[in-house]
Each structure stands twice: as C-alpha cells, then as structure tokens.
Amino acid sequence: MSLVILFLLLTGACGADDNSTSPETASSSAAAAQVAVAEEPTAEEFAEMGEDAEIALADVQAALTASDDVASEDAQPESASAAALVDEGEDGAMAAAAESAMEEDLADEPTEGDNRDGPAADALVEVSAITLPSAFGRDIIYQGWVSVEAPDVAAATQRAIAVVQGLGGFVFGQQTRTRPAPYSEIVFKVLPEDFSPALARLSEIGELLDQQISADDVTERIVDLQSRIITSEASVSRLRSFLDTALDLEDLAFYERELLIRETDLERLHGQLRTLEDRVALATITLAISQAPERPVILPNTGLLVTAWASTDGEDPCLGDRSLTTQRDDTVDFCVEVANQGEVTLTDVRLSSDVLASDDHPFVIERGSFERIEPGQFLTATLTEEMTKGRLAGRIATRGLEILIEATATPMDPDTPQLGVISDRTRVVVTTEEVIPNPGVLVHAWVSGKDDDPCLGDRDITVRPDNDRVMFCIFVGNPGDVPLTNVEIRSAALDFEANPLKLEHGDFNEIEPRQFLTATLAEPLAKGRLNGRVATRGLDIEIQAIATPVDRDGAELDSISDTTSVQVTTQEILPAMLVSAWVSTGDDDPCLGDRDITLEPDADHVNICLEIGNPGEITLTDIVIGSTSLPLDDHSFIAEHGDFNLLEPGQFVTATLTQPIEDGRLAGRIATRGTSIEIEAVATPVEGDGTRLGDISETTNVMVRVRTSPSGDGPSGFGDALDASYQALLVVLAGAAVVIGALIPFLPLIIVLALLVRWIRRRRSSSPAATGAPEVPKRPTAE
C-alpha cells in the first residue's frame, strides 16, 4: 500500500511540473504545504517500504528523465498541435496525434459552404471510434454542437428526442420559444461510443447549418485529483490518530479544528473528481433547431460563409480557437471572417451576436469592407470583450458560454437589381476556469435541564418528569471560505413558533468564514412530555441548519445543510390504581358500610360498594372487575360514578353490586364462620401518544359473617354453645383483669411483705433452739 501511495504522489508531482501555471496546480501545492506535517511518513513506514520503494522511485525518476528527453527533441514545434505534444508528454502526444488524424479526415471532407446546396448528411463529419483519444486510455470530455433549420420546430424537437432516446441517451436540458420565431435548443447526454451516431442522426433532423465537435483531455486533472485525495486521506487518518491520543484539552481542540478543515478539503476534492468523471462518462450534444425562413429564390451562384475564432493574452485572434478556456478576469479577442464563395457581389454586410454587445463595442475592420465583398474575396473584423469575475458581457461563462455570431449580406446581380438577404452563422465557446469555493456549515447542539448555560450542557440528559423546562443551545459555524447567508434552523421535535430561538452570538443573516452563531431555546416539559411527545423512553431531537453560500462575486450558490441531534430522557411515570371495597345490608348505602360485617340469619342479601381510583398521571382504560368469590357473570357491578372505559388521572369510578344470601350461604359458600370476598380490578394504561402499556391490577377484601339462628328463638346448637363458652371465657378473663388491675397499686407493699416474711422464716430456721444444739458458753475476757 505504501508503494502505491508513493507512486501516485510522484505521478501527481510530475503532473504539477508539466502544468505549473495552472491555478488548480497552485491550489494543490498550497494544500500540500498546509498538510505537510500530517502527511510526512514516519520512520516505521519508510522502513516498511524498504528496497521495493527505492526501486519504484528509481523507475519513476527514469520515466521522468525519458519524458524530458522527448520534450527537448521537439523544443521548436511548428504548430499549436506540436506545442501541445511537448506540454502533455507521451500521453499528450497520442491525444494530439489522434486529433491531427481527425483534422486530416476533416480536411478531406467537403466544407460546409461547398455542400450548402446538397444533402445535409454530406456535410456531417463522422468521428471514427478507433481514432478517438479514449482508445489510448485517456479521459476525454466530448462536446458537440449541431444547428439545423426545420419547417416545423416542434415536430423536429420530438423527433430529435426520440432519436437520442433510441440510442440510450436522455434529455439534459431544453429551451423552447415560439416568438418572434420558433426556436428550440436541446441538450442531450449520450455515452461516448454513441457520440458519433447521435451527431449523424441529429444532423438529419433538418437542414444542417453548423456542426462543431470538441474534446477536452482531463486525464492529468483526474490523476492529480486522485493523488491529492490519497494524500488528504493519509493526512486525515494521521490527524485522527493524533486526536485519539491527545490528552491536553488545548491540543484536542486544535486537532479537532484541523481535522474538520482537512476533511472538508477532502470532500471538496471528491466532489471535483466526481464532477470530472461524470462529464467523462457522458458526452454532451447541444442541438439548436430554428424555423426555416421563407427565403426568396437565391441564385445558385451566391454564397456566404462566416467563421469566428477567439483568443486571449493579446495574441492574434484570427489564429485562435473555436473553443477557448480563459481566466476569470481575462480579455477575450474575437475574430470574424466573412467570405464570399459565390459569383456575385455581396453588399451591406452586417454582423450580430446574441451575446456580444456589438452596438456598444462594434466590430473593427481589419481587412476588406462591410460595404462590398467581391466574389472570392473576404473581410476580417475583430472585437474585444472584457471578462469580469467569470462573466462575459454579463453572462456566466464558468459552464461554457456559447456565442452565436451571424453575418447577413445582400447579393447584387447585374441582371437583378436586388436579391433577398442571405445569412450564415457560426459559434464560439468561451469557458472560464471555475474557481469552486469551499462552502461549509457545521451545527452542534447541547441540552440542559437546569437554568445553567445550556451551551455548557450535554448531548444526552435525563431529567425528572415534573421538570419545568429544558434548555437547548444551538451552534452554527462556517468552516468554509465564503460567507453564509439566510441561516435557518429547523427541527420537527421543537416548536420554534411557540418558543422562538434567542440569538446569543452572531447573526442569522450572515456568517463570515471561520465565524459562528449561537442561539438558545427553552422548551416546556410537563408530565414526562416534551412539546407533547413522550420522553420517558428517550426522545431523539434532530436539529438541522440550512444556509445559502455567497460566491466572491456575490452570486448565491446552492443551499447547504448540516444535522445534529440531542437526546432528552425523562424518568418514567409509572401508572397507579387504588381499589377499595365496603359491604352493608338492608337498604343502606354500601359505600358508607364496613369492611367486616355480621349479618342476622334472616338477611337475604348483602350490598357491596367498589371504588377504583387513578392516583397516577397516566390514563387508565378498559377496566375489568373480577372475583373468585362472587359470580360476576350473573350479578355484575353497576357503575354509579365514572366510566369503566376511561379513567383520567385524579378521577375515580364507583360501582355497586347486590349479592343474595340463601340458607346462610353467600355465593354458594357458608358464611356462618365468615367469608372473605376478594375483588380484583384490572386496567390498561395508555400514554398521551396512544401507546398502550402493560396491564396493571389491584385487589381488595371484605368479610361477611352470618349468624346461625336469630337470638332467643329455637333450640341452641353447637354454634350457640360454642358462642356461649366463648362469652363465658371472656367474662372470666375480664374479671381476672379487674382484680389484677386493682392489686397493681399495692404491688410494692406486697413485695416488701413477702421479702420480710421470707427473712423471718430464714432467721427462725437458723436459731439453736430451732435446731436443738447445746448452747456454747462465752469465754470471759480480762478486765
């Protein structure tokens, strides 16, 4: 890979030496100087090249020496074609030789004036595909101009389009007018191999007036661009490695800025290469169809032929070219030759042009006279026009300006006092070297959930759902070479009408090169939604900056844009549901009942009240009530307040149910020992954007007991005995509690008495009388 890069760099350097005066080469040298540090290979890379790199370098130097020897042998060319051979080297010699062969073929064919009265096809010059420069591996841009006259311009236009489409070409542009005279100009694109057949068939559309063919060899320019692209890619790669290893903030900012500039230059080189390759891939043919005038009968011995050339740098324009390439501010000299190829005198000769302002700057006679041209004679006239910023006579010439020059004259015959006016046309193409500016726009954005400076924020933040607002900072920079105007910021996720941008620095109307603007925006945030859009799962906000570059001469270029994005995520708002239930008997309001009731045995029904509330911030829908203790299919809850289909945040639904009791059984279950009734509510949360979340549920319980028999009636059963025993036990326990409560104040005295009694008992048990042992006399003591 290193050998390939070295060979391409040397090839680009060779092309630069051969075209040292080219503006493109000068700009390429300047760019190479700017990236020299990043482009210089490391010692390891030179070591990897090794001996193969030295051999490749020696071969290239030998080839350069041989090319210089060939150029020195032809130091004094005899014509412009020989000079081109010296400038272009061996490849240029092949192209020039092919062009010389083509000119010889053209010379062998009859001229346009000689065949004016014959068929139009006789005047066509066929270009053999074998002699084309592309056959020698060159990159050629082919262009052709054909001018015909037809009785029906509209029909001829349709026929021409059909002819080109039949060859696989297409219409690239069209201009048609009906007044003052019908006229149509069509630009076709065809493959290079179909260029000659297309010219031949288009020339047969009507009466052929003029046909021109040009070929521009852009091989050296393409090779130079490819070499510069490889160099720029290496420089960008090197800077990226520097950026990855940078530790200092200042170095990081410097590498980022330099990487941005060089990536922009690389994209510009890619664009220039694609433009040249596209022009090489398709040939261009311009067909002009004009209305055939109703001409008076012209004697066959009359004839008029006009030819034009152009040159620059003060050279003789009559030795110039039919297709000229100039600088943006050159002076262009035109030479027009009007010849009388007939046998009668031509008088009152006039020259006109659709581009050149001949009224303000008339043609100057160099030879002959406008008043009279004898048979076999001619006149020569010149005109000088100034180029201004790539414009000739106010018209842009960067894409090739086709200049039509027409000569009219009146034939004079001794037998006829005056014949009809005759005319002839020719075309000259002037193209200025287009200086393509380097427009660029760069947009960045940051976001902050606080009142701090949003330009110091982050590109991805997480905020609380109840945060009041989110602050955005948008940066738009101009890394290009021309000013940017009409800067516009767009975003589908932000509402600029309700919350307009606030300009902090710069101007939306114009950003000069290497300048920038910053603008801030505050968007409200409510319940986890930013501008109405849910942000709980992360909201990606795309921001686009659009601007119109202005060329150095004030012309507006195509709009350019750049896009960035930030992400705002709010903490998720979980749905919530609260379920409560109460139960009552009789005709009382069940919602005022209890959660645990005991019913008499003669009760025939029970009333249940269920309340479902939404304490969250997400709407609940499709509420369904279920219970394993109640047969809700037969007796469903009836909504008393609210709606089961929709429950908004902060709202509630109240529903009631009446359940019968038969033989002490509630819903088939014995309730004499108490029945726990579990009720469950299930709902589906729905976000503001219609997204359905997973179902949530809550349960609640109520207790219902039924006595076995009414009190005081009928024989007592086991249940009554058990209830009586339970009541007696409660009475005993209550009495014991009363006694213990009464003794609590005397508890210290009782403890003291108990301790005293115990001490007395121990005292008595330890005395001799109590034990039966003899009493030991006391030992007398000395006085």
Side-chain angles (χ1 to χ4, degrees), residues 295-299 302 346 409-412 416 418-423:
R295 299 175 180 175
V297 178
I298 301 176
L299 297 178
T302 61
L346 299 179
T410 303
M412 296 295 296
T416 305
Q418 185 176 4
L419 299 176
V421 176
I422 61 175
S423 65

Side-chain angles (χ1 to χ4, degrees), residues 148-437:
V148 298
E149 285 184 349
D152 190 347
V153 174
T157 300
Q158 296 300 324
R159 182 183 173 192
I161 294 174
V163 166
V164 174
Q165 289 178 348
L167 292 173
F170 59 92
V171 177
F172 191 72
Q174 182 176 353
Q175 178 183 1
T176 304
R177 67 169 183 260
T178 58
R179 294 181 182 180
Y183 177 78
S184 180
E185 184 172 294
I186 316 167
V187 180
F188 296 103
K189 293 287 186 179
V190 297
L191 295 175
E193 55 265 26
D194 296 329
F195 182 67
S196 180
L199 281 176
R201 298 184 186 182
L202 291 177
S203 300
E204 298 173 355
I205 296 298
E207 182 182 354
L208 181 64
L209 299 180
D210 186 21
Q211 175 179 297
Q212 300 179 28
I213 300 173
S214 69
D216 185 11
D217 188 351
V218 294
T219 306
E220 285 74 14
R221 293 176 60 188
I222 290 179
V223 172
D224 179 63
L225 286 174
Q226 292 173 343
S227 174
R228 293 167 63 188
I229 287 174
I230 293 175
T231 304
S232 297
E233 289 176 345
S235 175
V236 169
S237 176
R238 181 64 53 80
L239 278 176
R240 286 175 178 168
S241 65
F242 291 166
L243 183 62
D244 293 338
T245 57
L247 299 177
D248 186 65
L249 183 59
E250 182 177 355
D251 293 342
L252 185 64
F254 173 76
Y255 289 143
E256 286 183 341
R257 183 171 62 254
E258 290 298 321
L259 181 60
L260 174 63
I261 294 173
R262 298 182 189 184
E263 285 180 339
T264 304
D265 293 338
L266 180 59
E267 290 300 325
R268 177 173 57 84
L269 293 175
H270 276 297
Q272 294 179 3
L273 180 60
R274 286 194 298 268
T275 300
L276 286 178
E277 290 176 344
D278 291 343
R279 295 181 64 188
V280 170
L282 292 175
T284 304
I285 300 177
T286 303
L287 174 64
I289 306 175
S290 57
Q291 180 73 35
E294 296 180 359
R295 299 175 180 175
V297 178
I298 301 176
L299 297 178
N301 60 347
T302 61
L304 178 67
L305 178 64
V306 59
T307 311
W309 304 273
S311 68
T312 185
D313 297 331
E315 298 177 357
D316 184 358
C318 297
L319 299 178
D321 299 318
R322 304 287 297 274
S323 180
L324 179 68
T325 301
T326 69
Q327 301 294 328
R328 290 170 58 89
D329 297 313
D330 272 345
T331 299
V332 182
D333 297 319
F334 296 90
C335 174
V336 180
E337 180 182 277
V338 182
N340 183 357
Q341 296 182 341
E343 298 179 356
V344 296
T345 302
L346 299 179
T347 62
D348 195 16
V349 180
R350 298 179 182 273
L351 295 176
S352 61
S353 174
D354 60 343
V355 175
L356 303 177
S358 57
D359 295 337
D360 300 332
H361 306 281
F363 284 92
V364 177
I365 286 290
E366 300 291 340
R367 176 178 177 177
S369 172
F370 286 124
E371 302 297 330
R372 191 180 186 92
I373 304 178
E374 296 296 337
Q377 301 297 320
F378 64 92
L379 69 83
T380 303
T382 58
L383 175 67
T384 300
E385 282 284 349
E386 297 288 339
M387 297 286 297
T388 304
K389 296 181 179 180
R391 287 177 168 82
L392 179 64
R395 297 183 60 179
I396 297 176
T398 55
R399 292 179 293 272
L401 179 59
E402 186 177 358
I403 303 171
L404 174 66
I405 300 176
E406 183 177 19
T408 60
T410 303
M412 296 295 296
D413 185 64
D415 300 331
T416 305
Q418 185 176 4
L419 299 176
V421 176
I422 61 175
S423 65
D424 190 28
R425 298 175 180 176
T426 188
R427 295 178 186 271
V428 179
V429 178
V430 176
T431 305
T432 60
E433 292 183 353
E434 185 175 5
V435 180
I436 302 177

